[in-house]
Amino acid sequence: MPAFQAFGGIAADANPHAATLAVTPPAHVANDILLLMILVRGQTDTATVASTGGGTWTIMTGSPFDRSTVSRYWLFWLRATGTTETCAITFSGTAGDAYGVIINYRGAATSIDPWEVKGTPQTNTTDPAVLTGITALSAASLIVAALGGENNNNTGITTTGTDPAAYAEH
């Protein structure tokens, strides 16, 4: 069964056009699935992601996703080929403040796209955030919900979750 392993450190740069944003993945092994989330405050940028560990970063359906006129998000994933995957992001455009983080999952299918269902990006200002419309297609599915916020306004928000396994059986 797929399972969360660890978060890497958050990489940040107030001027991402001056250098490559290096995002350090958490410890991983071959066939782990690494999920990269990128946020840029502004919507004129494009992001290019490269790895030197042997795997290839694949952009997720719906990326990039623009939220209103204030931010752009990307999700990429990579199947690790070993323990030395890296991530280097270059940007083009004029926006500022870029952030990136990598999350590691283990136990996913090793020969197919590990994301059985991909939801549609949504935007709102509801607190708490409500996510609907994702239905697992098979037993023992792991549901990953990527949530982000920007403009330095989220210090008072508490994020919680409910284990859907407690409410649904396959």
Side-chain angles (χ1 to χ4, degrees):
M1 171 174 21
F4 165 80
Q5 296 298 300
F7 277 91
I10 297 173
D13 194 332
N15 184 14
H17 308 288
T20 299
L21 184 65
V23 185
T24 304
H28 56 277
V29 298
N31 289 317
D32 280 1
I33 301 300
L34 302 179
L35 176 64
L36 166 66
M37 183 176 177
I38 304 167
L39 161 68
V40 172
R41 291 196 334 166
Q43 292 183 337
T44 61
D45 277 75
T46 58
T48 303
V49 181
S51 174
T52 60
T56 301
W57 290 98
T58 302
I59 195 164
M60 296 283 279
T61 303
S63 290
F65 169 69
D66 293 339
R67 192 191 77 76
S68 184
T69 60
V70 296
S71 62
R72 179 171 279 178
Y73 293 84
W74 291 264
L75 290 172
F76 290 83
W77 70 274
L78 176 142
R79 184 182 317 280
T81 59
T83 60
T84 59
E85 300 296 347
T86 63
C87 178
I89 307 166
T90 55
F91 297 93
S92 63
T94 59
D97 292 3
Y99 304 89
V101 66
I102 298 174
I103 306 158
N104 181 21
Y105 296 93
R106 187 167 294 154
T110 59
S111 61
I112 59 172
D113 183 338
W115 309 101
E116 182 178 75
V117 175
K118 296 175 185 89
T120 302
Q122 298 177 30
T123 183
N124 65 53
T125 56
T126 304
D127 179 12
V130 176
L131 301 174
T132 60
I134 298 174
T135 303
L137 301 179
S138 60
S141 293
L142 172 67
I143 296 176
V144 177
L147 301 173
E150 67 285 322
N151 281 349
N152 302 325
N153 64 351
N154 288 332
T155 59
I157 293 175
T158 301
T159 304
T160 62
T162 302
D163 182 357
Y167 299 97
E169 293 187 23
H170 288 52

